[in-house]
Amino acid sequence: MLRATILFPVGLCANLLIGLPAMAQAPAEVTLTRIECGTGATPTDVGQRFTDTFAYKDLKLTFTFSCYLIKHGGEYMVWDTGFAPGTNPNAPKVGIADRLKQLSVAPDQVKYVGISHFHADHTGQLAPFTTATLLIGKGDWDQITSPTPMQGANVAGFKSWIDEKRKVEPLTVDKDVFGDGSVVVLRMPGHTPGHSSLLVRLKEMGPVLLTGDLVHFRENYDSGGVPWFNFDRAATVASIERMKGIVANIKATVVIQHDMRDIGKLPAFPAAAK
């Protein structure tokens, strides 16, 4: 009795063997670390600037300025870069590059730098990330690169990015950063034309939503308050409504980036939420 033998090319066999484990590959581990990037030198009277309906009477809060490191498998993303050390009384004493060094991460290992918006307290330390791709709302990027930028746009903070023609991805819709739904830049305009927030899905803690400046403090979030200096009131209200819908549907933990009372929702540096 004759038996047929089927011979496969060696390269094809190798590809088949390589492909099998790839199909069953475990999801990348995702972690989230908060980095202190400034603290208010004095309390802020939030009833003066952060409401256009005369709310929050006599409420004074000390703002914090936060940066975040997201680790996705072997890749890294930074979200917001705070103030640069020494630039003002609210600025941090230790820069973000030195903080990353404590985590054994070099700036050139950072693949993406996501910016919630173009204000100086979120864009003060962009310079070290020479090989990263900048993720920023197109409305904000258009203002940064405009011959006549709108008031509040921290053009100086982006100087090295523009002069050195570093990689930029201006966003017009949500951005699934790593392609697996674990880290998503959410389009949340209103505070500025291209304002964004960030959703990070963690295995143990669950979904975490970093607000950017869509809201500045808990009372602001609870009441849907709008600062008088926001770019678009209607867009702000719509974005807050969207955020609350997301939070309700996926049971996300909201971390209001400027609210000192929300710092404790994440582990203290250098520990990471998982």
Side-chain angles (χ1 to χ4, degrees), residues 68-254:
Y68 301 87
L69 177 70
I70 298 96
K71 183 176 185 291
H72 178 275
E75 298 179 310
Y76 295 95
M77 173 184 178
V78 164
W79 176 252
D80 281 342
T81 65
F83 284 120
T87 53
N88 62 69
N90 302 324
K93 293 180 173 58
V94 180
I96 191 170
D98 289 326
R99 291 297 188 196
L100 292 178
K101 187 176 180 180
Q102 293 177 251
L103 300 171
S104 300
V105 177
D108 62 5
Q109 290 178 266
V110 175
K111 186 174 183 178
Y112 298 104
V113 175
I115 294 299
S116 62
H117 63 294
F118 57 39
H119 288 154
D121 55 329
H122 295 258
T123 58
Q125 300 183 76
L126 287 170
F129 303 104
T130 55
T131 61
T133 296
L134 181 69
L135 304 178
I136 182 172
K138 185 177 184 299
D140 279 23
W141 184 248
D142 288 348
Q143 289 298 321
I144 289 295
T145 56
S146 169
T148 55
M150 65 185 294
Q151 184 177 4
N154 181 32
V155 177
F158 293 84
K159 187 177 188 304
S160 58
W161 220 281
I162 295 169
D163 290 350
E164 297 167 18
K165 295 181 171 57
R166 299 186 194 175
K167 292 174 284 188
V168 181
E169 188 174 343
L171 306 178
T172 57
V173 295
D174 293 350
K175 167 74 174 179
D176 184 351
V177 179
F178 297 102
D180 59 2
S182 62
V183 182
V184 183
V185 179
L186 299 171
R187 184 175 181 272
M188 295 282 187
H191 182 61
T192 62
H195 183 277
S196 302
S197 302
L198 189 71
L199 174 64
V200 182
R201 296 178 184 266
L202 301 171
K203 184 176 180 181
E204 296 178 12
M205 186 174 175
V208 176
L209 208 159
L210 304 175
T211 62
D213 277 12
L214 178 57
V215 292
H216 291 80
F217 45 91
R218 292 182 186 178
E219 292 82 359
N220 183 194
Y221 178 80
D222 292 341
S223 66
V226 179
W228 65 262
F229 54 85
N230 272 21
F231 171 73
D232 188 316
R233 189 180 205 283
T236 303
V237 172
S239 292
I240 293 174
E241 181 181 352
R242 183 193 180 199
M243 178 177 286
K244 289 183 175 181
I246 292 171
V247 170
N249 289 330
I250 67 174
K251 306 297 187 289
T253 297
V254 176

